[in-house]
Structure formats: C-alpha cells, structure tokens
Amino acid sequence: MTQHVVTQTPQFFLTAPSPCPYIQGQFERKVFTHLVGDRAPGMNDLLTQGGFRRSQNIAYRPACESCRACVSVRIVTDEFAETRNMRRVQHRNSDLIGTMFDAQPSTEQYSLFRTYLDARHRRGGMSDMSVLDYAMMVEDTHVDTKVIEYRRRGPDSFITGRGEGELIAVALTDKMGDGLSMVYSYFDPEMEDRSLGTFMILDHVARAKAMGLPYVYLGYWVNGSPKMNYKVRFQPQEHLTARGWERFPIED
C-alpha cells in the first residue's frame, strides 16, 4: 500500500510582476508562503528575521528581478535615543494612552480605518476594503497578534490602564520572540499635527523595552521613496543586507 507523507516544510510561491507602488517605472514580484498551524509563530519569527512581512496568514518579501530598493528595518530598542523632535511628539500626545488587546476587530476600528484610507490612501491597494476585509486583516492570524487602541487619558486611566473616549489611532502588531513587528497602523487624519505615526512607533519602542524585547520591526524602507523616509529617523537601527543585519548607516 502506498503511503502519503505530509510534510511540514513550507512551500514558497512567486507572484507575477505588477507595477511597483513605490518607484515609478519599476515592477515588483513577491515570494510568499502560508503561516498556518502550530508552527506558524516560530516560522513567522524566522521569516521576519529573514526580511519577510506578514499579511493575514501570508508571509512575503520582495523578489524583484532588477531592483533591491526594499530594505528590512528594525530599531534597536535598548540603545534607542529620542531626538528633540521626538520628545516634542511625546509631549504633544501625553494625553493619549494605548491599550493592548488580543486581535479582534470592531466597527469603531473599521470606521477610523475607512476615514484614514479615504483621506490618505484613496487610490491605494487597500482603498476598497470592506468591513469583512478589515475583519480578516485583523483576525486571520496564526501568530501572537495584538491590537493597540489609542485614546485620551480619562479620570480612571491610572486605575484601569486604559484610555477613554473616541478612538484616535490603532496599531496591528505581532509579538515575536525577539521583538514587536508593526504590521499596520492608522489614525485620525484630522489630527495630523500630533504626528501620530511617529508617536505609535515611539510607544512600540517603549513597550518592547518593557517586555525585554530587543527590536521593533518597521517593515521595509525604500531608498528614494519620500513617504518611507521617516523610518530612518529612529536610531540606532539595523538594516538587513546580503551580509545579515547591519547597523545603519552602514560603515565600510
């Protein structure tokens, strides 16, 4: 009798070329695999350390034929030093508090998410996401994924540890063995003067330090893409190169 052996070795697939959203005239391809089952958390750790990102139960990384502009970035939390501008951002948002929950979507989250997309990414690849699509983005995970909701501090926040009132910003975050990986974040676009994107990264650095985790993974930095420039402001940081993770700026 023939026996069929089920392998737990992940299978990798390659997407067809499509226009690059970051560099005009370039085409992108991605290599991806599925993150499912009991091995998903460990596999997600290894793949993230190897330059992959997670979207729902998919881990992917660029595999472009003629371009290597996308570079994985992670902040070194123990040595991180805030700049004067970052301290101002912290002060500006001192009335906010983030509360971490298990990854569960809500209508309030989706409403803010929809407002954010319509204001900031109307023509982006996520612009037509429905409430069901959003729920899948949050819930479809086999790893330790958290949602952090940011609200204003209230009279009881020092007791409950939670903010109160309207939802101002949200971060979808994976907790890994060596760090926090920021999967996606969004905020109230009418509060642009608060620099909420910067504030959420600073909050993740503080959380990683408190958890004893050495890194915060920021995804990809694309040299030459203005909307990615903010990522290199968080120093010290490491970039994944052909020689492994190296401090940036890289010294010869």
Side-chain angles (χ1 to χ4, degrees):
M1 181 176 66
T2 303
Q3 291 184 336
H4 296 280
V5 178
V6 178
T7 178
Q8 295 189 15
T9 302
Q11 292 182 298
F12 291 87
F13 307 90
L14 189 64
T15 65
S18 61
C20 177
Y22 302 111
I23 302 178
Q24 188 173 4
Q26 291 285 357
F27 286 83
E28 68 170 359
R29 301 187 77 176
K30 294 186 177 74
V31 59
F32 69 94
T33 189
H34 293 87
L35 293 169
V36 294
D38 295 339
R39 297 185 65 198
M43 184 61 63
N44 186 51
D45 280 20
L46 289 173
L47 291 176
T48 301
Q49 292 160 5
F52 280 72
R53 294 287 287 163
R54 186 185 69 81
S55 177
Q56 296 178 228
N57 65 359
I58 298 292
Y60 68 90
R61 68 169 295 171
C64 306
E65 296 176 359
S66 60
C67 180
R68 296 292 182 270
C70 293
V71 179
S72 294
V73 176
R74 66 186 186 187
I75 303 169
V76 182
T77 61
D78 284 345
E79 302 174 48
F80 176 74
E82 292 182 352
T83 64
R84 182 178 302 176
N85 178 263
M86 290 174 186
R87 288 194 292 272
R88 286 196 291 265
V89 171
Q90 290 277 42
H91 179 72
R92 201 177 303 144
N93 292 284
S94 59
D95 61 330
L96 302 185
I97 185 170
T99 306
M100 181 179 284
F101 303 93
D102 289 336
Q104 292 187 348
S106 70
T107 54
E108 188 181 21
Q109 291 172 20
Y110 179 71
S111 178
L112 180 61
F113 175 73
R114 187 73 265 162
T115 300
Y116 174 78
L117 288 183
D118 291 344
R120 302 288 293 265
H121 301 286
R122 185 178 294 272
R123 297 182 180 179
M126 305 172 75
S127 60
D128 60 349
M129 285 181 64
S130 67
V131 64
L132 180 59
D133 294 328
Y134 176 79
M136 291 292 290
M137 182 178 79
V138 175
E139 289 182 321
D140 193 5
T141 174
H142 291 252
V143 304
D144 189 5
T145 302
K146 305 294 184 182
V147 168
I148 306 175
E149 295 186 346
Y150 296 87
R151 304 176 190 268
R152 285 187 172 90
R153 296 179 184 272
D156 297 329
S157 291
F158 73 99
I159 299 175
T160 65
R162 298 185 178 187
E164 300 177 8
E166 64 178 325
L167 185 63
I168 292 174
V170 176
L172 184 65
T173 302
D174 288 345
K175 182 182 178 184
M176 308 191 316
D178 69 342
L180 298 178
S181 177
M182 298 185 69
V183 177
Y184 194 78
S185 60
Y186 56 94
F187 52 85
D188 186 340
E190 294 187 359
M191 297 184 178
E192 190 170 357
D193 60 329
R194 283 180 173 266
S195 301
L196 288 164
T198 296
F199 172 69
M200 284 189 280
I201 293 175
L202 295 173
D203 181 65
H204 277 69
V205 172
R207 288 176 183 274
K209 282 184 178 181
M211 295 176 184
L213 300 173
Y215 303 112
V216 171
Y217 289 83
L218 295 183
Y220 300 119
W221 169 64
V222 182
N223 193 5
S225 175
K227 61 183 177 181
M228 290 288 190
N229 286 343
Y230 72 92
K231 294 189 178 183
V232 295
R233 294 192 289 110
F234 297 86
Q235 298 284 341
Q237 65 180 230
E238 296 177 349
H239 289 192
L240 185 58
T241 73
R243 296 172 296 209
W245 289 96
E246 296 185 319
R247 287 294 179 101
F248 179 86
I250 296 171
E251 299 180 356
D252 293 330

